[in-house]
């Protein structure tokens, strides 16, 4: 069981280049450059980076017991006066994968 965000982030780094799937089944991989995640689909990097802060924000939402999905992450963020999460489908898929 993952006990803290630092452990989770270490797992995210360790699983870089592994295949993950979004909630709708779209396969993707990612790389980690310092504290930034880059998403790849069909071996091409998409034009969006995802900062570690987005993962930490969703991690904290999960820890609070909220039933989060890619579609409602930003609803919870706005309600908590937090910034909106970038790449919600990818962040959700990575944090909800059984390997993390």
């Amino acid at each position: 069981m993952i006990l803290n965000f630092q452990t989770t982030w270490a797992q995210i780094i360790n699983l870089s280049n592994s295949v993950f799937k979004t909630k709708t089944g779209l396969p993707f991989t990612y790389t980690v450059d310092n504290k930034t995640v880059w998403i790849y689909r069909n071996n091409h990097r998409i034009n969006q980076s995802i900062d570690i802060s987005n993962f930490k924000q969703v991690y904290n939402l999960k820890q609070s017991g909220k039933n989060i999905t890619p579609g409602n992450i930003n609803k919870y963020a706005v309600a908590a006066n937090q910034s909106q999460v970038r790449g919600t489908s990818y962040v959700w898929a990575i944090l909800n994968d059984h390997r993390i």
Side-chain angles (χ1 to χ4, degrees):
M1 177 178 220
I2 302 302
L3 299 176
N4 60 48
F5 181 73
Q6 286 72 29
T7 304
T8 300
W9 184 249
Q11 279 298 97
I12 291 170
I13 291 169
N14 288 337
L15 290 169
S16 180
N17 294 309
S18 299
V19 176
F20 285 77
K21 290 187 178 180
T22 63
K23 187 172 184 176
T24 59
L26 177 69
F28 68 94
T29 60
Y30 64 87
T31 59
V32 180
D33 179 18
N34 194 12
K35 294 185 178 194
T36 302
V37 172
W38 292 95
I39 303 296
Y40 292 81
R41 290 192 323 232
N42 300 320
N43 296 317
H44 298 287
R45 187 169 88 178
I46 66 170
N47 191 23
Q48 178 180 9
S49 63
I50 306 171
D51 186 78
I52 186 175
S53 61
N54 294 280
F55 289 89
K56 189 168 191 175
Q57 188 175 351
V58 175
Y59 174 88
N60 288 335
L61 284 172
K62 285 183 58 168
Q63 295 303 306
S64 70
K66 293 186 177 11
N67 182 22
I68 62 167
T69 65
N72 70 12
I73 289 172
N74 282 323
K75 177 184 88 172
Y76 287 121
V78 169
N81 264 349
Q82 298 173 349
S83 60
Q84 291 195 15
V85 174
R86 291 185 63 157
T88 57
S89 295
Y90 302 110
V91 173
W92 183 91
I94 292 168
L95 289 175
N96 282 283
D97 190 276
H98 70 278
R99 297 168 288 180
I100 300 292

